[in-house]
Amino acid sequence: MIEPAIIETSFDVYAIRQQFPVLNREVKGKPLVYFDNAATTQKPQVVIDALVNYYTGYNANIHRGIHTLAEEATAAFEATRDAIKEFVNAESREQIIFTKGTTEGINLVAQTWGRQNIQAGDEIIISNMEHHSNIVPWYILCQEKGAVLKVIPISDEGELDMEAFEKLLSPKTKLVSVVHVSNALGTINPVKTIIEKAHQVGALALVDGAQSTVHLDIDVQALGCDFFVFSSHKLYGPTGMGALYGKKDILEAMPVYQGGGEMIKEVYFDNIIYNDLPYKYEAGTPNIADAIAFKSALDFTKGIGKENIRQHENELLAYATAQLEAIPGLRIIGQAKQKISVISFVIDNVHPQDIGILLDNRGIAVRTGNHCAQPLMDRLCIRGTTRASFAMYNTKEEVDVLIAGLQKAIKLLA
Amino acid sequence: MRENQSIEAIEQEIVEEFSLFDSWDDKYEYIIDLGKKLAPLEDVHKKDENKVRGCQSTVWLVADYQEGKVMYKADSDAIIVKGLISMLIRVLSGQTPDAIINTRLDFINEIGMMGHLAQTRSNGLLAMVKQMKNYALAYKVKDASLNN
Ligand SMILES: Cc1ncc(COP(=O)(O)O)c(C=O)c1O
């Protein structure tokens, strides 16, 4: 007997948890409490099913075959492009390029647009709170071209110093590349203003949306950014999959990234005609299964409603923040006024690694260390933090488990 | 006497001590206690060339050679790593270079710490074992060249 589906009208975290199989497992004999969502989120059953269904039902290479399986696979793959277009409100589907993730998106822009447009003496502006993925590609490009990397300073609270940013801007600025939401602090940056200011001096703007897309509504047209990059795995989708959005005229003018496969139209030994957007930037057989399953993740999130998810996560953030602040010797790192559900903290005389090991021993997954943002840690004069980051399936009871675990750990370590 | 105990005998001792614990909580409490008791390394030794490079926590390691035995001192800024180091020092310090080079340190596995060592690998603990063996190898080579 199949029970009729119960339509959820309001946000029910316990019903949502049922759809994430991994949340049923135990770690070290205790129920898993997964608070490492900023690193990667867990996957709902529909996403897992999409992967299995592709491989069991219609595995085929896309775009080339004329047989049924190839057509089904191509349709499903391209349907994800449409879903992403809608998800970020892009003008057209051609502007959505599949990538391995945020990191590849940034490298793609650095190696194509960057190589073509950056010259000696030009300036690229990033911020002091960037993930290494939004530092290294620009560092490499600047080294290669003799360009200069400039850094927007931040306040002790973990907010960008916007006055200092404006002083950095000049006609030499060719690109401003900033993180939308900090993975280490949770800070939501005023990217719309940053993009406008960048455009005023004739520079382009790239937004690293790795952490923002899962929490905020993204509208690339309203933002006005030239590039927007993000990863599927931080959005309840599979790993090794992501997207780059770019303005059409810029994408069309950029040189190709990698060669081979779908990115060409005609090949002669003395002449090659490249394919049109978006295929121009998609060399080789792509990650078909994961691209297809990514759509299931987007549909799933949409079904629950981002507004509902955000409200739930904000409640968790407020609840956890209040309890953490009550722990003597604990200091929350990142006190921005605009924050998403990420809490980083340090405890007097206690190493984050010790906290991480002892929490893991109670089944609690957190992240410890520098969060791939070493310059940020240097700026804040800390060696690293313990970070708890919340997703739609986390509960207040889990926060209580974290707090109890922390108190035990501190007692042991003190 | 402690100095005459073989690596295997000390390892056996540790394994027996750990067999008394019912839970991981107790094991960690014990390891943390060892960490707290390990004499801190003098600041002069806490320099870059004595660092065993790791990602999250820092380990400093120095060695000395006295009458055919290698003596180690080490420290870390993280207490659990320090407790584990304390056990390594207990097992390896005061042994001959040959014994150190050849030991497999099976006790790590037997006390159930392997997962935890692997987990902290990037934090320099396995690198620490390697560095301890490197010191032993260096002293052995030095001995050989003196005897020739
Ligand atoms: C802000 C930010 N940028 C970039 C990345 C890199 O994302 P990916 O590893 O999916 O390429 C991350 C992931 O941790 C991130 O948090």
Side-chain angles (χ1 to χ4, degrees):
Chain A
M1 271 287 290
I2 295 168
E3 297 283 320
I6 297 162
I7 294 165
E8 294 291 343
T9 48
S10 66
F11 187 90
D12 178 351
V13 68
Y14 303 101
I16 286 168
R17 288 180 71 81
Q18 298 289 314
Q19 313 202 40
F20 289 81
V22 80
L23 298 180
N24 292 321
R25 73 162 279 182
E26 292 192 340
V27 168
K28 308 269 158 74
K30 312 262 172 29
L32 166 69
V33 172
Y34 188 79
F35 282 158
D36 195 15
N37 295 289
T40 196
T41 52
Q42 297 301 339
K43 317 307 171 199
Q45 189 65 51
V46 284
V47 169
I48 300 164
D49 288 346
L51 290 167
V52 173
N53 291 344
Y54 167 73
Y55 284 120
T56 51
Y58 58 104
N59 169 53
N61 211 328
I62 53 171
H63 292 141
R64 325 154 204 242
I66 49 146
H67 55 82
T68 305
L69 264 53
E71 275 173 14
E72 286 176 8
T74 304
F77 180 83
E78 289 300 331
T80 299
R81 204 186 302 276
D82 293 322
I84 296 172
K85 171 200 173 274
E86 232 177 86
F87 186 74
V88 300
N89 193 32
E91 297 90 335
S92 66
R93 66 190 315 280
E94 288 77 33
Q95 291 166 264
I96 304 298
I97 319 280
F98 283 117
T99 64
K100 280 192 294 189
T102 306
T103 306
E104 193 186 34
I106 296 171
N107 278 283
L108 192 160
V109 175
Q111 291 302 312
T112 58
W113 177 86
R115 276 199 169 157
Q116 188 177 49
N117 292 285
I118 296 296
Q119 286 158 13
D122 286 348
E123 294 177 358
I124 292 172
I125 298 178
I126 59 174
S127 88
N128 207 160
M129 64 169 88
E130 298 308 320
H131 187 278
H132 296 163
S133 292
N134 197 26
I135 301 173
V136 185
W138 306 119
Y139 174 88
I140 293 170
L141 180 68
C142 286
Q143 288 272 304
E144 198 178 304
K145 297 287 187 178
V148 183
L149 200 59
K150 299 249 160 162
V151 181
I152 308 170
I154 60 166
S155 68
D156 292 339
E157 286 72 40
E159 290 176 331
L160 294 181
D161 181 341
M162 292 296 281
E163 270 178 39
F165 166 58
E166 291 198 33
K167 291 203 186 101
L168 289 179
L169 285 167
S170 81
K172 286 188 189 163
T173 313
K174 291 293 171 310
L175 176 77
V176 180
S177 187
V178 287
V179 70
H180 197 176
V181 164
S182 157
N183 64 313
L185 307 174
T187 310
I188 303 174
N189 287 322
V191 284
K192 192 166 168 24
T193 310
I194 292 171
I195 293 159
E196 281 166 11
K197 304 264 180 216
H199 287 168
Q200 279 166 18
V201 296
L204 298 193
L206 182 148
V207 176
D208 171 352
Q211 295 293 339
S212 63
T213 35
V214 70
H215 301 289
L216 309 177
D217 295 316
I218 305 299
D219 184 337
V220 289
Q221 294 187 63
L223 285 176
C225 55
D226 301 285
F227 300 108
F228 188 94
V229 290
F230 62 105
S231 305
S232 142
H233 70 100
K234 298 191 195 266
L235 264 163
Y236 308 104
T239 54
M241 171 49 48
L244 158 70
Y245 156 87
K247 282 203 182 136
K248 198 165 180 179
D249 51 340
I250 299 173
L251 288 177
E252 264 166 1
M254 276 164 28
V256 295
Y257 180 43
Q258 293 175 335
E262 198 55 39
M263 55 78 69
I264 52 242
K265 229 179 215 166
E266 292 176 46
V267 177
Y268 310 95
F269 285 125
D270 54 359
N271 186 28
I272 292 174
I273 301 168
Y274 299 118
N275 208 338
D276 302 322
L277 288 177
Y279 309 110
K280 178 179 166 187
Y281 296 105
E282 294 178 359
T285 299
N287 190 348
I288 303 167
D290 293 290
I292 290 171
F294 187 16
K295 179 172 186 294
S296 302
L298 294 174
D299 291 347
F300 178 80
T301 307
K302 200 167 145 189
I304 293 166
K306 264 199 178 176
E307 186 56 48
N308 292 328
I309 297 171
R310 208 154 40 227
Q311 193 186 337
H312 173 70
E313 289 172 347
N314 285 342
E315 275 170 28
L316 288 177
L317 178 69
Y319 184 70
T321 302
Q323 296 207 61
L324 286 169
E325 277 173 343
I327 296 177
L330 186 146
R331 183 160 59 96
I332 292 178
I333 304 294
Q335 306 263 15
K337 284 181 273 309
Q338 301 287 325
K339 258 185 89 166
I340 47 94
S341 56
V342 163
I343 314 183
S344 259
F345 56 85
V346 293
I347 298 167
D348 288 347
N349 305 317
V350 175
H351 197 286
Q353 188 189 349
D354 290 322
I355 293 283
I357 292 173
L358 291 179
L359 289 180
D360 175 61
N361 192 39
R362 313 190 87 79
I364 307 161
V366 293
R367 178 73 176 266
T368 61
N370 65 27
H371 314 293
C372 299
Q374 212 179 305
L376 173 63
M377 300 296 136
D378 292 343
R379 159 64 184 85
L380 299 172
C381 300
I382 49 178
R383 54 194 163 184
T385 74
T386 302
R387 179 186 72 186
S389 49
F390 308 124
M392 63 161 94
Y393 40 67
N394 290 127
T395 64
K396 285 189 177 167
E397 290 85 345
E398 287 181 313
V399 173
D400 293 339
V401 173
L402 169 71
I403 300 295
L406 264 178
Q407 278 163 339
K408 283 242 164 68
I410 292 168
K411 210 161 139 199
L412 266 181
L413 294 166
Chain B
M1 271 297 283
R2 192 49 195 282
E3 291 110 73
N4 300 328
Q5 265 184 305
S6 69
I7 289 182
E8 287 70 26
I10 306 171
E11 285 188 279
Q12 195 48 44
E13 254 179 32
I14 295 178
V15 170
E16 275 161 27
E17 285 166 23
F18 268 80
S19 70
L20 300 175
F21 300 125
D22 301 328
S23 71
W24 271 101
D25 276 354
D26 295 341
K27 285 188 197 178
Y28 275 121
E29 196 169 338
Y30 180 70
I31 292 167
I32 289 166
D33 217 45
L34 290 178
K36 287 178 182 167
K37 283 189 190 137
L38 184 68
L41 201 59
E42 299 85 349
D43 279 344
V44 288
H45 293 309
K46 288 189 175 176
K47 49 190 175 190
D48 256 11
E49 61 252 46
N50 292 331
K51 268 188 191 172
V52 183
R53 289 258 163 233
C55 176
Q56 287 205 11
S57 56
T58 308
V59 173
W60 295 269
L61 172 70
V62 290
D64 195 11
Y65 196 43
Q66 295 165 7
E67 294 159 22
K69 311 249 165 97
V70 188
M71 314 301 288
Y72 297 101
K73 284 194 287 188
D75 206 342
S76 170
D77 54 351
I79 201 81
I80 292 173
V81 170
K82 208 169 155 178
L84 296 169
I85 287 172
S86 152
M87 288 196 279
L88 287 176
I89 289 182
R90 176 171 161 197
V91 172
L92 296 180
S93 205
Q95 303 290 344
T96 63
D98 271 327
I100 295 165
I101 294 162
N102 295 320
T103 183
R104 301 191 322 173
L105 293 175
D106 286 329
F107 85 102
I108 297 170
N109 225 343
E110 283 172 44
I111 63 174
M113 273 330 277
M114 204 53 216
H116 298 267
L117 274 174
Q119 181 194 327
T120 50
R121 171 158 50 193
S122 56
N123 310 308
L125 214 87
L126 287 190
M128 161 103 177
V129 172
K130 200 171 156 198
Q131 191 61 24
M132 290 173 107
K133 289 197 172 202
N134 281 346
Y135 270 121
L137 195 62
Y139 290 128
K140 183 185 157 113
V141 171
K142 205 167 135 198
D143 263 356
S145 66
L146 284 180
N147 291 338
N148 277 340

